Amino acid sequence: MTTETTPLSELAAATARRRTFAIISHPDAGKTTLTEKLLLYSGLIRTAGMVRGRKGGKTTASDWMGMEQERGISITASAMQFPYKNAVVNLLDTPGHQDFSEDTYRTLTAADSAIMVIDAAKGVETQTRKLFAVCRMRRIPVLTLINKMDLPGRQPLDLMTEVEQALSIHASAINWPIGSGSDFVGIVNRADSMVQLFSKTVRGGATRVETNTLPLAELGSHSRVSEEMLAQVQHDLELLEIAGNPFTRAQFLSGEVTPVFFASALTNFGVETFLDAFVDLAPSPGARPADREDGAEVSVNPIEMPFSAYVFKLQANMNPKHRDSTAFLRICSGRFERDMVVKHHRLGRDIRLARPHSLVAQERSTVEEAYPGDIIGIINPGVFAIGDTVSLTGGFNFKPLPQFQPEIFARLRPTDVGRRKAFDKGLSQMAQEGTVQIMRSLNDQEALIAAVGRLQFDVLQYRLRHEYRVETILDALPFTCSAWLDGDPSTFKSPSASMMVKDKRNRVVVLFGDQLMKTIARDRNPDHVLRDMG
Ligand code: G4P
């Protein structure tokens, strides 16, 4: 069943072309640079260097909030759509600097695959680990790009081992670097033993790199490849043949193996090969699990089901004069048309999806139609909450979004007790939008706020001041991690410097002073389970 105007084949073809993905990485690994190169190689921009704006006052289209400009960072996480070869790519932005937040995690739930960018000198870092854990939980297949090969880095084989050990996944090298640091001159594609040698482009890889393709057997005769470099590549390739993991697309899609590529996003070495492999390997939108109103589990097929979508992110106040927010919806099935009237499942009423927009290469534009995998932004006059399902048919809800382990905690109160009502209203609005989580002590006497990143508290206080005219005092609490507790709280042996609270769904959460305390708590309470995601 589809809308009359869309023949099934057209919907199927549009869906098959979609690649909706996110980049997971630790700050500075090269996510922004790789994004730029995607735009460069898609032909959308002719010279790289336009997507900047995360640091140092250079602005992007998403810099909208006063505070963002003051800090020169981007708080907003949104999506960009552009064509890449035969694919239509939807890149979800996962903020990673100080603006790392629950939104970063939630955005991942809207992705069908992820690219993990790793700095060759640093290996697997904390934020990468955390984001990878979400991919694993959501069964999102991950491609690995070892970046900054033009700088002195660690041995490629070491990096492969680290990925495997730190993330408990098999890593399979699709290509292998020739030389490293200033001697990084090319890559060998392992499947057909063809080599790509790259020539340096203008500074910063602003234009496409010149590539010379030759068989591996001829590499020795090339002037830029020393005997040592050749010996090293041959040695590594032999070792990989014997001890490396095989690669199949099925194993990649099931999350058992991550294909590994080597590149320098800055100089463009290896970038195009990687992007081509990405669009070949990454899945198009598949079926999504949902709960029918009678409680039965169903699978929402992107092509067979008419339009359906869910809200994965709310972004406040594009215009500070209004309290409107933008709701970002991920389309899960069917064709979307502007001004479509759909069922809002939680509210049990029809709503019109008016003024939909998307970001195409950072330019906001109105969406006339969209397909599964696409992200649309809808002005939200307070009707959408995180996780809401909308559809043409009604009768089911996509699985609730998980809550992610908060890492910072505080008590918050209005400076003027007379503003208590406005304070409560603002706080509950922002909790609904997912800016912060509100938790209560087990006896309900006390409330506290929790978030994944420090900036969320700043956003909360800023918005309470500007939108609700409430000045607040924040007392930080000395906890740095938390976990949802499965099991009887009365028999849970709490370590020192910990506290038990309840989340909005009345589930018990334990707050810990540090990671060590959490580990001790796990050891001491073998009959309880401490979960990082709720
Ligand atoms: P992020 O979004 O993951 O935080 O990283 P981003 O792309 O901003 O890259 C962080 C820094 O690393 C930038 O330098 C960028 O130019 C550099 N970089 C990214 N990829 C490569 C690479 O393959 N090789 C080398 N040598 N450098 C790379 P910056 O000096 O901090 O910023 P900028 O002044 O270049 O903007």
Side-chain angles (χ1 to χ4, degrees):
M1 208 184 357
T2 50
T3 50
E4 273 171 36
T5 49
T6 317
L8 204 58
S9 57
E10 187 191 323
L11 175 63
T15 306
R17 291 172 68 206
R18 285 338 193 239
R19 298 288 181 273
T20 302
F21 78 105
I23 299 178
I24 59 172
S25 57
H26 195 78
D28 287 334
K31 184 184 68 165
T32 314
T33 311
L34 182 67
T35 304
E36 261 176 14
K37 299 312 164 79
L38 246 170
L39 296 176
L40 177 71
Y41 278 95
S42 72
L44 221 60
I45 56 174
R46 257 167 303 159
T47 52
M50 291 162 62
V51 191
R52 299 301 157 131
R54 64 213 177 272
K55 302 166 216 159
K58 294 171 256 178
T59 53
T60 66
S62 67
D63 280 350
W64 53 272
M65 198 160 122
M67 194 165 85
E68 255 183 335
Q69 278 145 20
E70 280 163 32
R71 292 189 178 221
I73 51 168
S74 172
I75 295 169
T76 53
S78 45
M80 275 196 277
Q81 183 181 75
F82 47 90
Y84 183 84
K85 306 218 164 145
N86 287 325
V88 176
V89 168
N90 291 307
L91 169 56
L92 301 165
D93 186 22
T94 41
H97 283 262
Q98 300 94 316
D99 45 353
F100 184 66
S101 71
E102 229 179 316
D103 265 346
T104 314
Y105 288 136
R106 271 194 294 256
T107 295
L108 272 184
T109 69
D112 296 317
S113 62
I115 292 177
M116 175 165 72
V117 179
I118 289 176
D119 182 327
K122 295 187 178 151
V124 179
E125 298 175 86
T126 24
Q127 277 186 22
T128 313
R129 241 180 255 259
K130 291 178 186 174
L131 293 165
F132 183 86
V134 178
C135 291
R136 162 153 294 154
M137 185 196 68
R138 303 287 298 191
R139 294 169 203 262
I140 297 169
V142 177
L143 294 102
T144 301
L145 182 72
I146 310 263
N147 188 33
K148 303 200 185 182
M149 287 303 295
D150 60 304
L151 294 177
R154 292 171 35 191
Q155 289 297 323
L157 284 169
D158 275 2
L159 288 162
M160 299 278 294
T161 310
E162 181 168 312
V163 167
E164 297 206 323
Q165 289 177 350
L167 305 174
S168 303
I169 189 169
H170 291 307
S172 180
I174 302 297
N175 59 36
W176 202 251
I178 301 166
S180 65
S182 54
D183 287 334
F184 176 50
V185 293
I187 48 174
V188 191
N189 183 34
R190 287 185 60 216
D192 60 6
S193 294
M194 288 303 286
V195 169
Q196 290 185 12
L197 287 181
F198 306 111
S199 312
K200 281 221 164 65
T201 64
V202 283
R203 213 178 111 66
T207 54
R208 301 164 78 100
V209 72
E210 246 177 68
T211 306
N212 178 8
T213 306
L214 60 152
L216 180 60
E218 290 172 20
L219 188 61
S221 59
H222 211 282
S223 61
R224 287 167 65 208
V225 181
S226 68
E227 266 175 41
E228 267 177 346
M229 282 157 72
L230 184 64
Q232 183 73 51
V233 177
Q234 283 168 338
H235 165 266
D236 288 356
L237 288 176
E238 273 167 31
L239 212 64
L240 287 172
E241 274 322 305
I242 303 162
N245 294 300
F247 176 80
T248 64
R249 184 162 183 255
Q251 284 178 315
F252 156 66
L253 294 179
S254 68
E256 285 164 71
V257 64
T258 177
V260 179
F261 300 79
F262 292 83
S264 159
L266 188 71
T267 61
N268 300 340
F269 287 19
V271 167
E272 188 170 20
T273 302
F274 171 70
L275 297 177
D276 289 354
F278 161 70
V279 289
D280 276 352
L281 292 174
S284 53
R288 294 213 151 211
D291 296 315
R292 230 169 37 198
E293 272 166 5
D294 62 9
E297 204 167 286
V298 286
S299 172
V300 177
N301 183 291
I303 297 153
E304 289 161 15
M305 285 288 282
F307 171 79
S308 71
Y310 77 96
V311 178
F312 66 93
K313 180 182 146 61
L314 294 177
Q315 180 176 284
N317 281 51
M318 305 297 267
N319 178 347
K321 287 198 194 108
H322 302 288
R323 249 175 231 184
D324 284 353
S325 59
T326 297
F328 287 92
L329 286 88
R330 142 99 199 200
I331 300 178
C332 299
S333 66
R335 179 173 181 266
F336 167 82
E337 281 167 39
R338 187 156 84 102
D339 291 331
M340 203 174 209
V341 176
V342 297
K343 293 190 187 341
H344 187 306
H345 298 203
R346 181 174 54 87
L347 300 181
R349 65 174 160 99
D350 286 353
I351 54 161
R352 180 182 297 277
L353 297 180
R355 289 190 286 157
H357 53 263
S358 72
L359 287 177
V360 177
Q362 310 266 314
E363 296 298 332
R364 192 164 291 279
S365 62
T366 300
V367 175
E368 294 298 331
E369 57 172 29
Y371 292 94
D374 290 350
I375 309 300
I376 46 172
I378 303 276
I379 302 296
N380 173 30
V383 298
F384 290 116
I386 298 279
D388 278 350
T389 300
V390 294
S391 77
L392 279 180
T393 58
F396 67 90
N397 282 304
F398 288 108
K399 296 268 178 205
L401 295 194
Q403 276 189 287
F404 302 97
Q405 177 205 145
E407 294 179 11
I408 56 163
F409 307 86
R411 289 193 182 92
L412 187 73
R413 57 195 156 90
T415 48
D416 174 359
V417 282
R419 301 293 299 153
R420 184 88 221 179
K421 243 177 138 179
F423 170 81
D424 286 345
K425 188 170 170 224
L427 190 58
S428 86
Q429 175 64 30
M430 266 168 274
Q432 201 189 24
E433 285 179 16
T435 310
V436 291
Q437 297 180 36
I438 298 176
M439 300 201 168
R440 283 169 298 115
S441 56
L442 294 187
N443 61 9
D444 283 312
Q445 296 286 307
E446 202 190 359
L448 55 93
I449 53 170
V452 166
R454 165 74 221 174
L455 196 68
Q456 283 167 282
F457 284 174
D458 294 354
V459 169
L460 175 71
Q461 286 191 288
Y462 177 95
R463 290 188 53 200
L464 284 172
R465 181 182 307 129
H466 287 87
E467 294 169 39
Y468 297 86
R469 291 183 293 108
V470 184
E471 290 294 334
T472 50
I473 295 174
L474 185 131
D475 299 315
L477 291 168
F479 305 111
T480 63
C481 55
S482 57
W484 276 265
L485 179 69
D486 286 347
D488 182 357
S490 67
T491 58
F492 181 73
K493 297 185 201 81
S494 301
S496 60
S498 70
M499 179 179 176
M500 270 196 252
V501 294
K502 290 186 292 190
D503 72 1
K504 63 173 181 199
R505 281 152 66 185
N506 276 328
R507 295 172 307 179
V508 176
V509 181
V510 191
L511 318 184
F512 298 98
D514 56 39
Q515 202 63 40
L516 181 65
M517 286 298 157
K518 188 162 155 181
T519 311
I520 291 172
R522 278 205 169 106
D523 291 348
R524 264 204 220 160
N525 296 279
D527 296 335
H528 292 76
V529 177
L530 288 167
R531 283 179 297 109
D532 288 342
M533 281 165 239

